[in-house]
Amino acid sequence: MDAFFAWIKIKRDEVPSQSETGKGFTYCINQEKYLRTFLEHADLPLDNNATESAIRGFCIGKKNWVLIDTVEGAKASAIIYSIAETAKANNLKPYQYFRYLLEEIPKHMEDKTLTFLDNLLPWSENLPDECKKLNQI
């Protein structure tokens, strides 16, 4: 990375600043701090493909949601969508996970605290196997 950024800083003056190459060089130099983050945190993805894939269904479906014409309806839809996508991101079966939540949450209506929710989170190890997808090799 050091050699790359040193090369760009030298070559930047050899191309017109408004050319596509010049714009690319300027972008790299302006984003150097963020581009180097991947060296410090190897667990970060190099692209946002997973995020774009996760919201693809939302973007395609939004034309079908014109009937959600209230703020409360939009909030409810956002909550449901967030739960579904978080379940998928944690390798759960969304339908089974929603069913489990809808069966378990009413059992705790008399609870004085919300600590029971920790066991219902998509990354909880206490979720039943029926909610989990089989790991594919």
Side-chain angles (χ1 to χ4, degrees), residues 67-111:
L67 299 176
I68 301 172
D69 58 354
T70 66
V71 171
E72 293 305 312
K75 286 180 183 177
S77 295
I79 290 168
I80 297 296
Y81 185 77
S82 294
I83 293 170
E85 290 305 317
T86 305
K88 288 186 221 174
N90 284 276
N91 209 28
L92 298 179
K93 300 174 189 172
Y95 176 82
Q96 286 80 356
Y97 180 60
F98 273 111
R99 192 176 78 206
Y100 179 68
L101 292 178
L102 294 172
E103 290 170 353
E104 288 300 311
I105 292 173
K107 295 176 184 176
H108 299 276
M109 296 307 284
E110 303 299 321
D111 289 8

Side-chain angles (χ1 to χ4, degrees), residues 120-137:
L120 301 179
L121 294 173
W123 45 86
S124 172
E125 295 179 9
N126 298 322
L127 293 176
D129 289 340
E130 68 188 31
C131 293
K132 300 173 185 174
K133 289 182 181 178
L134 296 176
N135 288 333
Q136 297 188 9
I137 301 171

Side-chain angles (χ1 to χ4, degrees), residues 40-92:
E40 298 164 10
H41 303 284
D43 57 326
L44 292 176
L46 294 174
D47 57 42
N48 66 346
N49 290 344
T51 303
E52 288 182 4
S53 292
I55 66 170
R56 184 170 290 114
F58 175 81
C59 293
I60 291 170
K62 69 183 175 184
K63 289 184 181 179
N64 298 327
W65 302 337
V66 294
L67 299 176
I68 301 172
D69 58 354
T70 66
V71 171
E72 293 305 312
K75 286 180 183 177
S77 295
I79 290 168
I80 297 296
Y81 185 77
S82 294
I83 293 170
E85 290 305 317
T86 305
K88 288 186 221 174
N90 284 276
N91 209 28
L92 298 179

